[in-house]
Amino acid sequence: MADTKEFETERGQGGETHQRVPSTGPQSAETYLTTNQGIPVSDNQNSLKSGSRGPTLLEDFVLREKIFHFDHERIPERIVHARGSAAHGYFELTESLSDVTSADLFQRPGDKVPVFVRFSTVAGGAGSVDTPRDVRGFAVKFYTQQGNWDLVGNNIPVFFIQDAIKFPDLIHSVKMEADRAYPQAGSAHGTFWDFASLLPETTHMLMWAMSDRAIPRSLRMMQGFGIHTFRFVNKDGKSTFVKFHWKPKLGVQSTVWDEALKLQAADNDYHRRDLWEAIASGNFPEWELGVQLFDDEFASKLPYDVLDATKIIPEEVLPLKIVGRLVLDRNPDNFFAETEQVAYCPANIVPGIDFTNDPLLQGRLFSYLDTQKSRLGTANFHQLPINAPKCPMHNFQRDGMMQMTVPKGRANYEPNSLSMAGEEGGPRECPATGFRSFERASGEHEQGDKLRVRAELFADHYSQARLFWKSQTESEQAHIASSFVFELSKVEFDHVPPRVIANLMNVDKDLATRVADGLGIDLPKANPAAKDPIDLEPSPALSIQKNMVETIEGRKIGILIADGTDAKALAKLKDAIIKSGATPFVVAPKVGKATLSDGKTVKADGQLAGSPSQLFDAVAIVLSKEGTEMLLREAAAIQWVMDAFGHLKAIGHTDEAQPLLQKAGVEPDDGVAGLGDDFLAAAAKRFWDREAKIRLLA
């Protein structure tokens, strides 16, 4: 881009500003404004008119091209997962899987493969907010030497439905209601719960969606899952079932519901900003890739079907094998060109990876490719840089809208013998290295007529929902029950909540009772189960709280100051936070400056009114007596402290700040400390025991 110092600035007849290339002196080609056809533009401020006050002329091709492009610079948003954030990075293999797959990226430890990862919400549009209660998409595009592999999953390992034919119904029910076009980006409304209550297969997913998994603290602190059972195929043609898991280095962290609501008001782009700033500051997000590997014999002994997308295999039943790590180290250069135009498709797999007969997966293989054509307008969307493979690509596909390559010669078909005439004949198939679908039947029920039926083992809709419930802490169970109460309270159909609760009776009577009590309705009888649920061993790996990574690394600590704040105490605290791997963020009543105890002024990172405590993982209140007295009259300061306490965060404070804590209703507990090492230790976690003292939960 040319530096504006190279331009001459002039005023036009109407007072408009013209920045123009100097009439004399050497100029580089990039300094000249042109049309998309490369034609130099003489005036970019005025359209061509018939006289100074006459009508604009149709022949003004500069105007027409500029307006035409502007009118079409938006493309249709994704039907689901419309709001997304993404980053570049790499996948590094740490343990070879050459014994179970011939996929090139799983052969040699230390090999790195470029990736582009997109995170998203599901229900909201592109202009919705980051923090609603919703499933989060977790899609990874691997640019391997054998072609692109897209692992397109979510932050929850199961899904609402078992068969793809129900996907349009699911999305229609959870999206804005058809007649009134609200609510946006949330499932707390009648049509969704009407649909869910009539499909018992949704129950397991509902448990996850009503848990804190659906209100993550950060995109950097989410697990990711491939959801479906896939296949690995090795060089000898042997198949092994595989399920994919992404484990965040910083551990799984979530917000609490009240905090999530207030984050929407504080920052609509909270997750997007957090991801961008972490990468920009060098705190690269990282995940481990874990796989669950098993064979037909193992699958046949499970009390559920591994082809059922509403089921998991608990890690305690089949432990994960960690085989690599994912690191995101570069933000996109352009949101539209990369994040918006990236096209993921589960059908994009490489030799050594294959599909199973999961009916939800099978439907996705068709749907994604079809929707890319609708969104991007051309069958050539794979030529966009963000979608293009980074390995050689050759075939006989030609032409089409927006074709960006210029194939030479006549070879647009095969077999051909053009090489015998001295012409280029083009590429050919290779049975040795080419992708081959796994040929053998993988189950006794795969032969026979093609029927619109489901396997009987798919009929158990409640056992794993019960497993999930029993695997949670008391606090997490309270969050789940309260989430059901909140969502069902938004349903205007009187017959729907009892039906949901009747399904929950098959999960756990205590859960159903708590939801019914929270809604103030009678406890219904259990809905008849298509297959009686069984008790599975609890899986501690399913609990967020049981697996918290107590670390301050990667966290952001809010520090509230005012005039008179002890300069040495502030400097010491900031230094300790930085040394611990966290980021301090100074908040003051006025962002311009605060005068510290040594007479020096400091510029705050954020103003109190615009930097609520829900933006931070922990807070410190570093106030003098005078500063405290001033903030006791400031509602935003009282709310700042009250929310931090209510959101179960660690609170460090000076002795002089005690009156502010008292006015905010802060009661002493293990999470309320001074400003020393005890605060840094407390800042590594949330204090779930506090919750029962500050809010009513179901």
Side-chain angles (χ1 to χ4, degrees):
M1 183 64 67
D3 193 319
T4 55
K5 291 186 295 185
E6 300 179 24
F7 302 144
E8 294 177 346
T9 300
E10 301 176 11
R11 295 289 183 186
Q13 181 175 306
E16 74 276 14
T17 300
H18 291 264
Q19 289 183 331
R20 291 170 170 162
V21 175
S23 55
T24 59
Q27 295 294 324
S28 60
E30 66 178 10
T31 64
Y32 290 87
L33 181 67
T34 75
T35 69
N36 286 336
Q37 305 300 321
I39 302 168
V41 174
S42 62
D43 187 331
N44 193 40
Q45 314 307 319
N46 300 294
S47 55
L48 186 65
K49 307 176 185 69
S50 178
S52 63
R53 300 182 67 249
T56 300
L57 299 178
L58 187 61
E59 71 182 66
D60 188 352
F61 63 88
V62 177
L63 169 68
R64 285 189 289 113
E65 181 193 83
K66 190 173 182 180
I67 295 296
F68 170 81
H69 193 278
F70 173 78
D71 287 345
H72 296 277
E73 67 184 24
R74 295 291 180 267
I75 63 175
E77 68 177 39
R78 291 167 170 85
I79 302 298
V80 288
H81 297 277
R83 178 164 182 89
S85 304
H88 295 272
Y90 62 87
F91 170 75
E92 180 179 8
L93 187 69
T94 56
E95 182 170 341
S96 176
L97 289 172
S98 59
D99 57 328
V100 293
T101 177
S102 61
D104 184 70
L105 79 162
F106 290 125
Q107 301 302 303
R108 299 166 294 278
D111 276 9
K112 293 182 179 180
V113 173
V115 299
F116 189 71
V117 181
R118 186 177 185 271
F119 308 98
S120 55
T121 55
V122 173
S128 59
V129 298
D130 273 347
T131 51
R133 177 177 295 280
D134 198 357
V135 185
R136 298 308 194 278
F138 195 124
V140 183
K141 185 180 289 289
F142 299 82
Y143 301 95
T144 86
Q145 289 304 301
Q146 293 178 306
N148 289 354
W149 173 39
D150 292 350
L151 183 56
V152 193
N154 290 331
N155 72 323
I156 291 176
V158 292
F159 202 61
F160 292 100
I161 54 176
Q162 296 174 322
D163 193 302
I165 199 170
K166 298 308 299 173
F167 190 72
D169 300 297
L170 167 67
I171 299 306
H172 287 169
S173 76
V174 78
K175 281 281 194 176
M176 299 179 294
E177 298 195 359
D179 57 348
R180 62 208 67 187
Y182 66 80
Q184 167 77 284
S187 56
H189 60 100
T191 55
F192 171 73
W193 286 98
D194 178 43
F195 175 80
S197 68
L198 290 168
L199 264 72
E201 68 198 67
T202 63
T203 307
H204 188 198
M205 181 65 168
L206 290 174
M207 301 297 293
W208 287 80
M210 294 301 105
S211 78
D212 294 346
R213 298 269 181 166
I215 45 174
R217 157 66 180 85
S218 166
L219 302 174
R220 302 177 289 127
M221 301 168 194
M222 299 192 313
Q223 283 183 293
F225 302 92
I227 302 174
H228 308 285
T229 298
F230 290 87
R231 291 184 190 278
F232 275 154
V233 183
N234 69 9
K235 63 181 184 306
D236 299 320
K238 180 182 177 183
S239 167
T240 302
F241 288 129
V242 57
K243 295 181 81 74
F244 297 102
H245 299 245
W246 295 109
K247 293 275 192 177
K249 178 183 177 182
L250 297 177
V252 179
Q253 302 285 339
S254 63
T255 59
V256 294
W257 179 235
D258 182 67
E259 182 182 11
L261 293 176
K262 290 176 177 175
L263 276 169
Q264 292 184 28
D267 188 351
N268 291 341
D269 308 298
Y270 179 66
H271 284 154
R272 180 173 291 174
R273 192 186 313 277
D274 174 80
L275 178 67
W276 182 281
E277 291 181 349
I279 295 173
S281 65
N283 293 319
F284 300 144
E286 184 172 333
W287 289 260
E288 292 180 319
L289 177 62
V291 293
Q292 288 178 304
L293 303 171
F294 56 102
D295 56 17
D296 292 307
E297 182 180 0
F298 177 90
S300 67
K301 294 179 180 178
L302 296 173
Y304 38 85
D305 198 317
V306 298
L307 301 185
D308 180 354
T310 69
K311 306 294 190 295
I312 63 167
I313 303 176
E315 293 179 37
E316 291 76 10
V317 174
L318 181 60
L320 294 184
K321 180 177 183 179
I322 302 301
V323 299
R325 68 188 189 112
L326 171 70
V327 179
L328 301 182
D329 59 3
R330 181 166 67 87
N331 283 312
D333 293 318
N334 183 275
F335 183 89
F336 178 82
E338 297 173 289
T339 306
E340 188 63 19
Q341 289 196 135
V342 66
Y344 294 94
C345 180
N348 293 343
I349 55 175
V350 295
I353 303 172
D354 204 352
F355 313 119
T356 60
N357 291 338
D358 177 339
L360 180 62
L361 172 60
Q362 290 289 320
R364 294 179 72 199
L365 301 182
F366 163 79
S367 175
Y368 280 68
L369 187 63
D370 188 58
T371 198
Q372 309 307 350
K373 167 62 175 68
S374 176
R375 288 193 64 245
L376 299 170
T378 170
N380 291 315
F381 67 85
H382 61 281
Q383 296 179 12
L384 295 170
I386 193 63
N387 296 319
K390 299 185 185 299
C391 62
M393 187 272 291
H394 307 288
N395 57 45
F396 294 98
Q397 295 167 17
R398 294 291 187 269
D399 308 336
M401 187 183 297
M402 301 302 293
Q403 174 60 249
M404 286 173 265
T405 63
V406 186
K408 298 179 180 180
R410 291 189 287 176
N412 61 355
Y413 64 95
E414 71 87 29
N416 70 63
S417 59
L418 295 174
S419 61
M420 297 179 65
E423 299 183 26
E424 179 62 48
R428 295 295 189 274
E429 64 190 35
C430 177
T433 62
F435 179 86
R436 300 178 68 93
S437 295
F438 186 68
E439 298 173 356
R440 293 187 291 277
S442 61
E444 56 181 323
H445 301 296
E446 287 192 16
Q447 296 180 348
D449 297 336
K450 292 184 177 181
L451 306 170
R452 290 186 180 270
V453 298
R454 297 191 193 181
E456 290 184 11
L457 206 51
F458 275 50
D460 181 359
H461 304 307
Y462 300 113
S463 295
Q464 290 214 343
R466 181 182 297 175
L467 161 68
F468 183 82
W469 172 256
K470 290 186 175 181
S471 300
Q472 307 302 301
T473 65
E474 290 185 9
S475 171
E476 290 172 313
Q477 289 181 341
H479 291 176
I480 292 170
S482 297
S483 298
F484 274 108
V485 171
F486 172 81
E487 298 253 338
L488 292 173
S489 72
K490 301 290 187 179
V491 177
E492 71 274 20
F493 308 124
D494 291 340
H495 63 281
V496 169
R499 200 161 60 208
V500 175
I501 296 169
N503 288 338
L504 294 180
M505 286 284 287
N506 292 310
V507 177
D508 187 89
K509 185 176 180 180
D510 177 58
L511 168 61
T513 301
R514 290 160 74 170
V515 176
D517 287 346
L519 293 171
I521 63 177
D522 294 334
L523 186 67
K525 294 181 180 179
N527 275 338
K531 188 177 181 64
D532 290 336
I534 60 176
D535 287 317
L536 302 170
E537 284 295 318
S539 172
L542 303 183
S543 165
I544 294 178
Q545 293 182 20
K546 292 176 184 177
N547 295 279
M548 285 285 189
V549 176
E550 292 191 6
T551 176
I552 196 173
E553 183 181 348
R555 308 293 192 247
K556 183 178 284 188
I557 312 299
I559 305 174
L560 180 60
I561 68 167
D563 288 347
T565 287
D566 188 313
K568 291 183 179 179
L570 177 61
K572 182 178 179 181
L573 177 61
K574 290 179 64 177
D575 184 59
I577 290 171
I578 293 170
K579 287 182 178 178
S580 298
T583 301
F585 189 99
V586 176
V587 178
K590 297 179 181 180
V591 72
K593 63 181 179 180
T595 303
L596 304 182
S597 60
D598 59 2
K600 296 180 179 179
T601 60
V602 60
K603 187 179 185 298
D605 298 309
Q607 186 179 12
L608 176 60
S611 304
S613 61
Q614 49 264 32
L615 297 176
F616 312 113
D617 296 287
V619 301
I621 304 161
V622 188
L623 297 176
S624 64
K625 180 180 178 181
E626 295 77 11
T628 300
E629 290 175 350
M630 179 186 71
L631 292 184
L632 284 172
R633 302 189 299 274
E634 174 56 66
I638 299 168
Q639 191 69 47
W640 201 87
V641 179
M642 185 184 299
D643 281 343
F645 187 71
H647 296 153
L648 318 179
K649 297 174 182 177
I651 300 175
H653 65 91
T654 57
D655 291 340
E656 293 82 355
Q658 190 64 45
L660 181 60
L661 271 65
Q662 292 173 348
K663 191 165 184 178
V666 174
E667 299 179 7
D669 61 22
D670 292 341
V672 182
L675 297 178
D677 293 340
D678 51 347
F679 168 65
L680 295 180
K685 57 185 179 182
R686 298 241 185 171
F687 294 86
W688 305 106
D689 293 343
R690 182 189 301 166
E691 193 161 26
K693 304 174 185 177
I694 59 174
R695 64 174 61 93
L696 294 175
L697 294 170

